[in-house]
Amino acid sequence: MTRKQKRLALIGSALGVFGVAIGLILHQLSGNIVFFYGPTDMVQKHIGPGVRLRIGGLVEKGSLVERAGKSVTFKVTDGKDAVPVAYTGLLPDLFREGQGVVAEGALDKQGVFRADSILAKHDERYMPREVVEALKKQGKWVGPNDQLADQARAQ
């Protein structure tokens, strides 16, 4: 084996080891990565049941139903599409209809998103970045600066 062939074999081996390492890292991370989707993204991408993800949008007005115990159902909407959500547990104090929410969980076979955690906005001005981006895609976002501009136009 010539010196050049030895060098190529060494580089090829190093690339192979590097590729295997990257593959193992990605395989281990695949169980921990949770993607964010808006309701329209979920409908368009036809996400299957059991895939763990986060959804965000606004709690659709008139959709909040409290069940026995601590169970609630509601819909998360971005103004175009809505996803039904079922959750059992304590809701954040600021959770209510018309407010921004991020839910983490998975779809079941009936197409209901089974959330195991709910995040709600914590003051009048805060909105999760993912929710803002999803609402902007749908043209439904009215930010604090937009509200001030609307008030100025009304005067």
Side-chain angles (χ1 to χ4, degrees):
M1 189 179 260
T2 65
R3 186 174 175 179
K4 183 177 179 181
Q5 290 173 330
K6 287 180 182 177
R7 192 177 316 142
L8 288 175
L10 180 65
I11 290 172
S13 298
L15 288 175
V17 169
F18 183 71
V20 169
I22 294 294
L24 289 173
I25 289 170
L26 291 175
H27 178 71
Q28 289 298 317
L29 287 177
S30 66
N32 296 326
I33 295 174
V34 178
F35 292 103
F36 177 84
Y37 292 101
T40 300
D41 294 333
M42 286 187 66
V43 170
Q44 290 175 348
K45 293 184 179 182
H46 305 290
I47 296 170
V51 177
R52 186 155 183 82
L53 50 96
R54 288 178 150 194
I55 63 167
L58 301 175
V59 178
E60 189 173 78
K61 291 184 179 177
S63 68
L64 181 62
V65 177
E66 294 187 29
R67 309 264 182 202
K70 298 175 185 173
S71 297
V72 294
T73 60
F74 56 94
K75 290 183 178 180
V76 175
T77 184
D78 57 5
K80 184 177 178 186
D81 290 305
V83 175
V85 177
Y87 175 71
T88 300
L90 293 174
L91 289 170
D93 290 337
L94 297 175
F95 177 87
R96 59 183 166 259
E97 294 179 348
Q99 297 294 322
V101 65
V102 174
E104 186 171 332
L107 281 173
D108 65 10
K109 292 180 181 177
Q110 288 79 35
V112 176
F113 188 82
R114 301 281 173 190
D116 53 24
S117 69
I118 299 288
L119 304 171
K121 70 179 202 173
H122 65 358
D123 73 10
E124 292 285 324
R125 293 172 286 180
Y126 176 75
M127 181 73 77
R129 185 173 47 93
E130 296 92 352
V131 174
V132 169
E133 290 172 5
L135 292 173
K136 281 182 178 179
K137 281 184 184 177
Q138 299 305 317
K140 302 291 182 185
W141 170 248
V142 179
N145 293 337
D146 298 329
Q147 290 175 344
L148 294 174
D150 289 343
Q151 290 173 356
R153 278 187 229 128
Q155 293 176 353

